[in-house]
Every structure is written in structure tokens, then in C-alpha cells.
Amino acid sequence: MAVTMKDIARNCGLSSGSVSQVIRNPDNPRFSPATRKLILETAARLDYHQNSLSCALRTSKTRLIGLMLPWNEPEVMDNIERIVSENGYKLLIQFTAHPRPGMEQAALQSFLSWNVEGIIWEPSSLENASCLPLLERIHKEKRPLILLERGVNGMDFPLVRTDYTPALNVAVSHLKDQHYRKVVFAVSKSSAPIMKTQCEVVRGACRRMGLAFHTCQLDVASPDLSGQIRHLLSGEKKGDTAYICFSWLALNFIEEMEALGLSAPDDLGLVLYSDLLLGGRYRFSEIVRPKLTVVRSVCSILAESAIRFLLSEIRHDDPRGLPESTHYAELFINQSTKRN
């Protein structure tokens, strides 16, 4: 049976009311240091734990933070969870992998049902009209919400984002220096809306530098994904083309290159867009062969900025607020494009 405040009071020879006041506020000046010490040490000895739900109902403070991501991002989650824990909060995580209509709306509704004190949300795309009524409610209730990477049309919430433009321009310049003549931006159909801006940046850079450009949307849900990539690769002239592959698609490209007897960087170039941190230690771009040239966002800095600002909003530390915080991606050149 769980230990109660009445049990602590009986062991201390004090009233339950006195015990309750000290448990809720260990520095309560109404009680002497000796009394506070007696109550707290007795609570520890009896292994007393406060009922979080009861406290939340009493104080309207759940100490819960909601985090919604469109796919598994360990580096983001780990850094947010660490800072949340250090500040005495708990984290509720919702994934919307392979988003479908209503998924993000349902996740936001779940956060509100749990009465989270703040939300960090990385929207799956720019089209989130179904979420607008909930977002208007969140805004009206002045519940802190921070957006990651992209905003939501019509809503003015603080945004923490990565600017990929400089790194993508440098990437195209690098590919030209390595004598590639064409750049193909390959993404999954589901992520295409998210990648629209980045595709346009690469298209513009290719136009300025005299390179051909093509974008390719792959149906990753199809059992014939390998066939789609193999057909794409087999239609290119060896040595001419470099592919910018979104996330884990790079691994599919490497497998199909091997099947066709192609190698990077001689037969084609391969640039990874995004770079997962695996096991908290290794970058995806560094453990595959060949090692991949990568356009990488520093997700740890992005995550820390978002959660520290959210906590500041919850505590009302800075009344001025922060409409937008921008971090910059970097290009890391590796074996998969470097010919010279």
C-alpha cells in the first residue's frame, strides 16, 4: 500500500496539514528548520511519492511538455528530453510518420487533453488547415507553442528553423568544381512539400552555375522502390550526374549503385541531405561506404534553442518573446563527391 501524508504525520507526531505544507514547499518559512527536516527525512525513509495526477488537478500544473515530430529524430528528442528533465518536467512525444489527414490535429488534441504546459511541433508540411481551430485555441489560451523548421500559414507562433540556402549553394558549387554536369534532387513523395524550398534553392544555384537540374519524387511505400531507383540510375551517363538524396534514401541509392556496378564519386556523385546521429555517437554519413558528402543541420543546437525558449515562455521570463531563431546548415565534403 502506498505511503500517505497521514502515515508521515503519524510517524512525526504532527498534523497532516503541517506535513502537506512542508511536502509542497520544503522551504516553507512557517515551520522551523528542525520540523522541516523531520518531515522530509521521514518522507524519504518511508519512501513517500507524491501523486502527480493529484498535484496536477490541485495546481493546474501538469509539468508536461508535448513534442510532435513528423519522423524519428533521435538527436532532437534526446536534447529536448535532457533539458526537460533537468528542469523538472516530463515529455510526451507524438510521431506522425507517414502523415495522413488528421494525424497532427489528433496529436495536438491529445496534448490539450493532457493539459501540457507547452508544445514543440515540427509540422509535416506547410498545409495544416485542419489544425487551425486548435492552434487558434492554443493562441487564445496563451499556451506556449514553438514551431520547429517550418511555420503554419496564418498563425504567428515563434519559429526555430534551419536555413539550408548557403550550404546548398556551396554544395552545387562543389559539384561543379568536381566536373559534374547535372544535379538530381531525390526525395520521397510524402516529403516533397517539405523539400520544395530546398529544391528551388538548388535549381537556382544550378541555373547560375550552368548545370542541368532535375527533381525526382520516389514512391517509398511501393514494393518497387529499388526498381524506381535502378531505372533512374541506369538512365544517366556515367560521370555526369550527382544526386542529392533526402535522409535514408541515400542508403537505397548505394545499394542500387552496387547492383549496377556503379561507384561514387567516379560514376556518379552522392550528397546526403540531413544526417542522423545514430546511437548518440555516429553520423549516418560516416558509417556507410563511401562516406557521404552531407548538408547537415546541427539538430542539437536547434533542439536546445526550441526547448529553452519554450521553458522561458512557460515561466514568463522574457515578455518580449522571440518571433524567429535561425540556425545555418553546413556542407561537409566526403568521399562520395570528391574527385580531385
Side-chain angles (χ1 to χ4, degrees):
M1 183 178 295
V3 176
T4 67
M5 289 190 187
K6 289 183 179 180
D7 297 322
I8 299 171
R10 186 165 50 251
N11 277 265
C12 293
L14 299 168
S15 69
S16 297
S18 297
V19 170
S20 175
Q21 290 182 62
V22 172
I23 291 293
R24 293 174 189 173
N25 179 14
D27 297 317
N28 196 320
R30 293 187 56 191
F31 301 90
S32 68
T35 299
R36 296 199 301 267
K37 181 179 179 183
L38 173 62
I39 292 172
L40 295 174
E41 288 183 349
T42 302
R45 177 169 55 82
L46 296 177
D47 197 25
Y48 170 77
H49 298 282
Q50 292 193 69
N51 186 309
S52 298
L53 180 58
S54 175
C55 289
L57 290 172
R58 184 178 64 251
T59 65
S60 297
K61 300 294 183 182
T62 61
R63 310 291 290 180
L64 292 175
I65 300 292
L67 171 64
M68 177 164 41
L69 301 171
W71 42 70
N72 188 352
E73 298 183 73
E75 194 170 359
V76 172
M77 290 187 295
D78 288 352
N79 281 277
I80 289 179
E81 194 281 330
R82 172 177 57 80
I83 296 173
V84 162
S85 179
E86 288 172 356
N87 286 271
Y89 288 81
K90 298 291 184 182
L91 194 63
L92 291 180
I93 301 177
Q94 293 274 5
F95 286 122
T96 56
H98 307 298
R100 297 181 298 277
M103 288 184 69
E104 289 170 299
Q105 180 183 8
L108 285 173
Q109 183 61 65
S110 176
F111 288 154
L112 295 180
S113 298
W114 280 98
N115 195 28
V116 298
E117 295 189 40
I119 299 169
I120 296 176
W121 175 26
E122 182 178 341
S124 64
S125 74
L126 296 177
E127 302 300 328
N128 292 285
S130 63
C131 296
L132 290 181
L134 282 176
L135 292 173
E136 289 171 358
R137 173 184 163 187
I138 290 169
H139 191 270
K140 184 177 180 180
E141 294 177 354
K142 297 184 178 179
R143 193 185 307 261
L145 185 150
I146 309 297
L147 294 171
L148 272 181
E149 293 293 24
R150 58 197 65 88
V152 176
N153 291 341
M155 299 304 300
D156 185 24
F157 288 104
L159 172 64
V160 179
R161 61 182 288 270
T162 302
D163 186 348
Y164 288 91
T165 300
L168 288 171
N169 279 305
V170 173
V172 174
S173 178
H174 162 69
L175 293 174
K176 181 178 181 180
D177 289 344
Q178 302 304 306
H179 308 296
Y180 294 103
R181 296 184 176 89
K182 179 180 178 181
V183 176
V184 177
F185 205 124
V187 300
S188 66
K189 286 184 178 180
S190 62
S191 64
I194 299 175
M195 304 302 299
K196 183 178 179 180
T197 300
Q198 288 79 358
C199 282
E200 291 306 312
V201 169
V202 176
R203 186 193 305 275
C206 287
R207 186 184 303 116
R208 290 192 303 274
M209 299 180 199
L211 302 180
F213 174 80
H214 178 65
T215 182
C216 176
Q217 296 181 23
L218 298 168
D219 184 1
V220 299
S222 168
D224 190 39
L225 176 60
S226 296
Q228 296 174 57
I229 296 175
R230 191 172 301 188
H231 175 74
L232 184 67
L233 295 177
S234 61
E236 301 288 355
K237 183 179 178 181
K238 289 185 178 181
D240 272 9
T241 305
Y243 293 85
I244 299 178
C245 300
F246 180 55
S247 191
W248 51 266
L249 273 173
L251 188 58
N252 297 88
F253 271 77
I254 291 172
E255 291 174 350
E256 297 312 314
M257 285 166 51
E258 292 177 350
L260 292 169
L262 301 173
S263 64
D266 294 330
D267 296 323
L268 56 85
L270 204 57
V271 178
L272 175 65
Y273 179 97
S274 182
D275 195 13
L276 292 178
L277 184 66
L278 306 175
R281 185 175 178 183
Y282 300 104
R283 292 284 176 190
F284 175 69
S285 63
E286 297 168 346
I287 64 173
V288 297
R289 294 294 181 270
K291 291 183 178 182
L292 299 175
T293 292
V294 59
V295 176
R296 181 190 300 160
S297 168
V298 185
C299 294
S300 59
I301 296 176
L302 193 77
E304 288 190 20
S305 295
I307 185 57
R308 293 195 187 282
F309 181 61
L310 182 69
L311 292 173
S312 176
E313 288 276 274
I314 291 172
R315 296 164 178 161
H316 307 290
D317 291 342
D318 187 351
R320 295 171 299 175
L322 174 70
E324 183 169 325
S325 175
T326 302
H327 303 270
Y328 292 91
E330 298 179 64
L331 176 70
F332 295 86
I333 297 172
N334 238 321
Q335 298 168 342
S336 63
T337 61
K338 194 172 183 181
R339 287 170 162 173
N340 298 332

